[in-house]
Amino acid sequence: TPATNDLRATVVHGGLTHGDDEKLNEHMLNATVQDTPRGVKIAKVNRDKKIDLMACVVMALSRAQWLASSRSQKNKAVKGYKR
């Protein structure tokens, strides 16, 4: 997916860090990327392992990048968020 492609590029270029959370580390180590005709996708290394937090990282980075790109529009409202 485009979001996963963006995450891969961000990681490869050293643009992502986290606070060394034990569960996040576990979920990241349980995940791998697979190349598909649409780009890369996140997959489980072992079907019995969890990768939910890795999926959250993909979505959070995608949202953060979208918000950063829309900052040029003054006072961009985000539904459900109050300043």
Side-chain angles (χ1 to χ4, degrees), residues 1-64:
T1 65
T4 308
N5 288 334
D6 290 346
L7 176 65
R8 183 185 213 179
T10 301
V11 170
V12 166
H13 292 99
L16 184 69
T17 61
H18 72 88
D20 202 29
D21 179 79
E22 184 178 331
K23 282 291 184 188
L24 182 55
N25 285 338
E26 179 184 332
H27 286 223
M28 288 180 139
L29 292 172
N30 291 339
T32 187
V33 291
Q34 292 179 342
D35 288 308
T36 71
R38 291 183 57 201
V40 294
K41 74 174 189 172
I42 299 296
K44 291 181 178 183
V45 173
N46 179 324
R47 64 181 262 198
D48 298 327
K49 303 289 185 175
K50 294 185 182 267
I51 64 168
D52 299 358
L53 297 178
M54 188 66 209
C56 292
V57 169
V58 172
M59 291 184 286
L61 179 65
S62 178
R63 181 66 174 179

